[in-house]
Amino acid sequence: MAAATTRCGNHECLRRLSRDLREVQANPLSTIAAAPHEDNLQTWRVTFTAPDGVYEGVPFHMSINFPGSYPRDPPRVRLCTLIPHPNVFENYDFNADCSEDGVWLCLNMLRSASHGSYSGWSGAYSMHSILVQLQSFLFAENIDQDYGYATAAETDGCDYAIDTAIEFHKKHGHEYPPLVTDLTLRPPGWLSGFLSSRRRVFWFNPDNPRDVRLASSARCPTQSTDHGRKRGT
């Protein structure tokens, strides 16, 4: 990969993002891949998946944009497709308190000190730690909220989230860094087979490791007709 240039507003930002890049490269994660845009060190593209649960193995994508004031101020995180989650919103970034097209994650870790006691950002966070915490927050069964309580993860709409994530991946996956599993788990060239991942089965195109499709038999548990029951119960 070509070395990324920078548009940072100061040398501290450049030094920190360069250090973050080295840390990410030295400590690869099997379920998260991240890399800066080729001509802008402040803009990173991320491919990630859930390590378990209904989204296990599903390829999701997001972009992370760092301000010139990083690491004093946090980055902005935009998801490429919608994930049912109590802290995911369309067309409004609560962390930056502004309307903007896209899918945004509301999380105190991504709020600057201007939010007072609701800011959880620390300049000690690196890109590597940000990635791990974002993944954990997005796919947690119980999500901690600002006021000291936890909200259960949403299950309605997971089929739609899976379908749109895979469709986005098929169209734009080549623009994002590949997961380690994209390269190590694909079948040999003579076999366009199935790969099982606990609850989910994927078909990989051996000629294009980024071409991943959810098998028709693998779907989120169907919604019961009984209103008192949830998915998978």
Side-chain angles (χ1 to χ4, degrees):
M1 178 179 144
T5 58
T6 179
R7 297 175 185 172
C8 292
N10 58 63
H11 294 296
E12 182 183 6
C13 175
L14 172 59
R15 287 196 303 269
R16 183 55 178 274
L17 285 173
S18 297
R19 190 182 79 181
D20 286 0
L21 177 58
R22 291 193 297 270
E23 181 184 16
V24 168
Q25 292 174 334
N27 301 278
L29 299 164
S30 62
T31 55
I32 310 173
H37 193 277
E38 290 184 356
D39 64 354
N40 186 358
L41 192 58
Q42 287 178 253
T43 300
W44 290 56
R45 291 172 175 170
V46 181
T47 303
F48 66 102
T49 188
D52 51 36
V54 296
Y55 295 117
E56 180 182 5
V58 178
F60 291 97
H61 300 282
M62 62 182 166
S63 63
I64 301 181
N65 293 282
F66 293 86
S69 55
Y70 176 76
R72 185 177 68 253
D73 293 314
R76 297 184 69 194
V77 176
R78 175 160 41 191
L79 301 174
C80 295
T81 56
L82 187 65
I83 300 176
H85 191 284
N87 291 64
V88 171
F89 301 91
E90 291 187 273
N91 304 325
Y92 197 91
D93 183 2
F94 283 91
N95 302 318
D97 196 21
C98 67
S99 297
E100 187 171 337
D101 290 343
V103 180
W104 302 93
L105 177 63
C106 179
L107 178 60
N108 61 5
M109 187 188 78
L110 299 175
R111 297 180 200 147
S112 66
S114 62
H115 286 82
S117 60
Y118 293 111
S119 171
W121 173 251
S122 169
Y125 286 128
S126 67
M127 181 58 161
H128 192 276
S129 61
I130 292 170
L131 292 170
V132 172
Q133 293 205 43
L134 289 177
Q135 181 196 50
S136 176
F137 185 74
L138 280 168
F139 300 123
E141 292 185 1
N142 294 289
I143 300 98
D144 292 333
Q145 301 296 315
D146 287 338
Y147 299 101
Y149 66 93
T151 302
E154 297 181 6
T155 55
D156 290 340
C158 69
D159 279 347
Y160 176 79
I162 291 169
D163 289 340
T164 54
I166 291 176
E167 189 63 27
F168 182 92
H169 182 80
K170 288 163 62 177
K171 292 180 178 179
H172 304 286
H174 64 281
E175 302 171 8
Y176 292 78
L179 292 172
V180 173
T181 52
D182 279 346
L183 303 178
T184 60
L185 294 183
R186 63 189 176 100
W190 53 269
L191 175 63
S192 298
F194 287 95
L195 291 178
S196 296
S197 180
R198 295 184 187 176
R199 305 173 181 84
R200 202 162 299 285
V201 181
F202 292 92
W203 181 86
F204 285 76
N205 180 349
D207 297 322
N208 181 2
R210 295 180 186 274
D211 185 4
V212 53
R213 305 173 190 176
L214 190 67
S216 58
S217 61
R219 276 291 181 269
C220 193
T222 57
Q223 180 73 41
S224 169
T225 54
D226 297 331
H227 294 295
R229 299 182 62 190
K230 297 181 180 179
R231 291 180 182 269
T233 59

